[in-house]
mmCIF file of all heavy atoms in Angstrom:
data_model
loop_
_atom_site.group_PDB
_atom_site.id
_atom_site.type_symbol
_atom_site.label_atom_id
_atom_site.label_comp_id
_atom_site.label_asym_id
_atom_site.label_seq_id
_atom_site.Cartn_x
_atom_site.Cartn_y
_atom_site.Cartn_z
ATOM 1 N N ARG J 89 17.717 15.811 18.289
ATOM 2 C CA ARG J 89 17.196 14.854 19.284
ATOM 3 C C ARG J 89 17.212 13.405 18.773
ATOM 4 O O ARG J 89 16.969 12.460 19.592
ATOM 5 C CB ARG J 89 15.740 15.254 19.705
ATOM 6 C CG ARG J 89 15.756 16.484 20.543
ATOM 7 C CD ARG J 89 14.404 16.686 21.211
ATOM 8 N NE ARG J 89 13.239 16.743 20.294
ATOM 9 C CZ ARG J 89 12.923 17.956 19.767
ATOM 10 N NH1 ARG J 89 13.606 19.046 19.958
ATOM 11 N NH2 ARG J 89 11.925 18.037 18.902
ATOM 12 N N ILE J 101 17.358 5.857 32.948
ATOM 13 C CA ILE J 101 17.453 7.178 32.302
ATOM 14 C C ILE J 101 18.896 7.357 31.914
ATOM 15 O O ILE J 101 19.829 7.300 32.684
ATOM 16 C CB ILE J 101 17.001 8.275 33.329
ATOM 17 C CG1 ILE J 101 15.480 8.129 33.438
ATOM 18 C CG2 ILE J 101 17.332 9.647 32.719
ATOM 19 C CD1 ILE J 101 14.889 9.180 34.452
ATOM 20 N N ASN J 104 22.808 12.273 26.791
ATOM 21 C CA ASN J 104 23.609 13.491 27.030
ATOM 22 C C ASN J 104 22.722 14.721 27.102
ATOM 23 O O ASN J 104 21.793 14.896 26.266
ATOM 24 C CB ASN J 104 24.642 13.664 25.925
ATOM 25 C CG ASN J 104 25.606 14.775 26.233
ATOM 26 O OD1 ASN J 104 26.298 14.721 27.207
ATOM 27 N ND2 ASN J 104 25.556 15.824 25.373
ATOM 28 N N ILE J 105 22.994 15.538 28.087
ATOM 29 C CA ILE J 105 22.158 16.772 28.277
ATOM 30 C C ILE J 105 23.114 17.951 28.033
ATOM 31 O O ILE J 105 24.197 18.045 28.691
ATOM 32 C CB ILE J 105 21.639 16.847 29.668
ATOM 33 C CG1 ILE J 105 20.563 15.640 29.863
ATOM 34 C CG2 ILE J 105 20.821 18.132 29.881
ATOM 35 C CD1 ILE J 105 19.977 15.538 31.208
ATOM 36 N N VAL J 106 22.659 18.876 27.183
ATOM 37 C CA VAL J 106 23.506 20.077 26.912
ATOM 38 C C VAL J 106 23.057 21.222 27.805
ATOM 39 O O VAL J 106 21.885 21.548 27.861
ATOM 40 C CB VAL J 106 23.379 20.490 25.444
ATOM 41 C CG1 VAL J 106 24.199 21.731 25.139
ATOM 42 C CG2 VAL J 106 23.864 19.322 24.574
ATOM 43 N N SER J 153 19.937 22.872 23.250
ATOM 44 C CA SER J 153 20.323 22.887 24.657
ATOM 45 C C SER J 153 19.113 22.699 25.483
ATOM 46 O O SER J 153 17.954 23.041 25.157
ATOM 47 C CB SER J 153 20.938 24.240 24.974
ATOM 48 O OG SER J 153 21.355 24.324 26.333
ATOM 49 N N SER J 154 19.240 22.051 26.677
ATOM 50 C CA SER J 154 18.127 21.758 27.576
ATOM 51 C C SER J 154 17.833 22.807 28.586
ATOM 52 O O SER J 154 16.626 22.993 28.926
ATOM 53 C CB SER J 154 18.428 20.415 28.296
ATOM 54 O OG SER J 154 18.726 19.378 27.374
ATOM 55 N N ARG J 288 9.344 22.702 24.679
ATOM 56 C CA ARG J 288 10.252 21.692 24.189
ATOM 57 C C ARG J 288 9.749 20.314 24.533
ATOM 58 O O ARG J 288 9.310 20.057 25.636
ATOM 59 C CB ARG J 288 11.665 21.827 24.875
ATOM 60 C CG ARG J 288 12.678 20.875 24.426
ATOM 61 C CD ARG J 288 13.980 21.046 25.174
ATOM 62 N NE ARG J 288 14.994 19.990 24.901
ATOM 63 C CZ ARG J 288 15.879 20.074 23.992
ATOM 64 N NH1 ARG J 288 15.945 21.097 23.199
ATOM 65 N NH2 ARG J 288 16.728 19.099 23.746
ATOM 66 N N HIS J 289 9.811 19.388 23.531
ATOM 67 C CA HIS J 289 9.548 17.991 23.782
ATOM 68 C C HIS J 289 10.811 17.384 24.331
ATOM 69 O O HIS J 289 11.777 17.215 23.613
ATOM 70 C CB HIS J 289 9.093 17.323 22.526
ATOM 71 C CG HIS J 289 8.931 15.820 22.667
ATOM 72 N ND1 HIS J 289 7.865 15.254 23.379
ATOM 73 C CD2 HIS J 289 9.654 14.780 22.250
ATOM 74 C CE1 HIS J 289 7.958 13.968 23.395
ATOM 75 N NE2 HIS J 289 9.082 13.644 22.734
ATOM 76 N N MET J 290 10.753 16.981 25.593
ATOM 77 C CA MET J 290 11.991 16.564 26.270
ATOM 78 C C MET J 290 12.187 15.089 26.308
ATOM 79 O O MET J 290 11.195 14.363 26.373
ATOM 80 C CB MET J 290 12.042 17.148 27.766
ATOM 81 C CG MET J 290 12.031 18.644 27.833
ATOM 82 S SD MET J 290 12.170 19.230 29.517
ATOM 83 C CE MET J 290 12.103 20.966 29.271
ATOM 84 N N THR J 291 13.423 14.688 26.302
ATOM 85 C CA THR J 291 13.713 13.286 26.529
ATOM 86 C C THR J 291 13.561 12.950 27.962
ATOM 87 O O THR J 291 13.474 13.884 28.837
ATOM 88 C CB THR J 291 15.193 13.041 26.125
ATOM 89 O OG1 THR J 291 16.101 13.691 27.030
ATOM 90 C CG2 THR J 291 15.468 13.438 24.669
ATOM 91 N N PRO J 292 13.406 11.683 28.382
ATOM 92 C CA PRO J 292 13.308 11.382 29.787
ATOM 93 C C PRO J 292 14.441 12.004 30.650
ATOM 94 O O PRO J 292 14.176 12.411 31.752
ATOM 95 C CB PRO J 292 13.328 9.834 29.822
ATOM 96 C CG PRO J 292 12.738 9.464 28.474
ATOM 97 C CD PRO J 292 13.279 10.482 27.529
ATOM 98 N N ALA J 293 15.637 11.965 30.160
ATOM 99 C CA ALA J 293 16.773 12.574 30.907
ATOM 100 C C ALA J 293 16.561 14.051 31.093
ATOM 101 O O ALA J 293 16.803 14.570 32.219
ATOM 102 C CB ALA J 293 18.062 12.244 30.155
ATOM 103 N N GLU J 294 16.179 14.755 30.031
ATOM 104 C CA GLU J 294 15.969 16.164 30.186
ATOM 105 C C GLU J 294 14.824 16.483 31.140
ATOM 106 O O GLU J 294 14.945 17.374 31.971
ATOM 107 C CB GLU J 294 15.633 16.814 28.818
ATOM 108 C CG GLU J 294 16.799 16.820 27.826
ATOM 109 C CD GLU J 294 16.400 17.260 26.465
ATOM 110 O OE1 GLU J 294 15.288 16.904 25.995
ATOM 111 O OE2 GLU J 294 17.175 17.962 25.773
ATOM 112 N N ALA J 295 13.707 15.709 30.988
ATOM 113 C CA ALA J 295 12.611 15.968 31.936
ATOM 114 C C ALA J 295 12.973 15.760 33.346
ATOM 115 O O ALA J 295 12.559 16.519 34.239
ATOM 116 C CB ALA J 295 11.414 15.072 31.517
ATOM 117 N N ALA J 296 13.784 14.745 33.609
ATOM 118 C CA ALA J 296 14.149 14.407 34.998
ATOM 119 C C ALA J 296 15.070 15.474 35.476
ATOM 120 O O ALA J 296 15.009 15.910 36.696
ATOM 121 C CB ALA J 296 14.887 13.069 35.030
ATOM 122 N N LEU J 297 16.004 16.005 34.682
ATOM 123 C CA LEU J 297 16.878 17.091 35.117
ATOM 124 C C LEU J 297 16.093 18.378 35.417
ATOM 125 O O LEU J 297 16.310 18.955 36.431
ATOM 126 C CB LEU J 297 17.980 17.327 34.029
ATOM 127 C CG LEU J 297 18.843 18.523 34.379
ATOM 128 C CD1 LEU J 297 19.661 18.225 35.657
ATOM 129 C CD2 LEU J 297 19.774 18.894 33.203
ATOM 130 N N ILE J 298 15.207 18.732 34.507
ATOM 131 C CA ILE J 298 14.408 19.966 34.740
ATOM 132 C C ILE J 298 13.652 19.773 36.031
ATOM 133 O O ILE J 298 13.532 20.835 36.854
ATOM 134 C CB ILE J 298 13.490 20.265 33.588
ATOM 135 C CG1 ILE J 298 14.291 20.499 32.232
ATOM 136 C CG2 ILE J 298 12.576 21.396 33.850
ATOM 137 C CD1 ILE J 298 15.288 21.619 32.369
ATOM 138 N N ASP J 299 13.022 18.648 36.341
ATOM 139 C CA ASP J 299 12.360 18.489 37.557
ATOM 140 C C ASP J 299 13.300 18.629 38.753
ATOM 141 O O ASP J 299 12.964 19.235 39.738
ATOM 142 C CB ASP J 299 11.685 17.104 37.572
ATOM 143 C CG ASP J 299 10.838 16.911 38.840
ATOM 144 O OD1 ASP J 299 9.854 17.620 39.007
ATOM 145 O OD2 ASP J 299 11.194 15.991 39.605
#
Side-chain angles (χ1 to χ4, degrees):
R89 289 194 299 275
I101 291 179
N104 186 64
I105 299 176
V106 178
S153 181
S154 306
R288 179 184 176 92
H289 174 72
M290 296 184 182
T291 66
E294 289 174 323
L297 175 64
I298 296 302
D299 182 66

